[in-house]
């Protein structure tokens, strides 16, 4: 049991070291290049609105088609 616990702790420590190193590298990169071309809040809002609108339109079309499906079969 101790061997398994020691191995688990070693794996956890290695994972923590990798995560810490990656976060530190990211922070150093951000300090070197403050403007990395990140997506602005406005762009995200526009995309969310566009996707929401598209989903609403598709949903409305699906509801109308399902409602009038019997009447549309003869066309």
């Amino acid at each position: 049991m101790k061997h398994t616990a020691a191995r688990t702790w070693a794996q956890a420590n290695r994972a923590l070291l990798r995560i810490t190193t990656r976060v530190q590298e990211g922070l150093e990169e951000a300090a070197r290049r403050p403007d990395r071309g990140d997506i602005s809040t406005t762009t995200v809002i526009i995309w969310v609105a566009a996707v929401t609108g598209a989903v609403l339109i598709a949903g409305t079309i699906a509801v109308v088609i399902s409602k009038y499906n019997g009447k549309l079969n003869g066309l």
Side-chain angles (χ1 to χ4, degrees), residues 1-68:
M1 182 73 177
K2 285 186 177 185
H3 187 300
T4 304
R7 185 172 37 203
T8 302
W9 274 108
Q11 289 172 343
N13 284 334
R14 283 194 300 271
L16 185 60
L17 179 62
R18 283 193 304 265
I19 291 170
T20 304
T21 303
R22 180 63 187 113
V23 169
Q24 185 177 7
E25 289 171 352
L27 291 173
E28 290 171 358
E29 176 72 15
R32 273 196 315 272
R33 297 184 327 148
D35 184 18
R36 298 177 315 213
D38 291 339
I39 297 175
S40 70
T41 305
T42 306
T43 303
V44 172
I45 291 171
I46 290 170
W47 273 102
V48 168
V51 170
T52 303
V55 168
L56 287 173
I57 291 169
T60 303
I61 291 171
V63 167
V64 169
I65 287 176
S66 67
K67 184 176 180 181
Y68 295 105

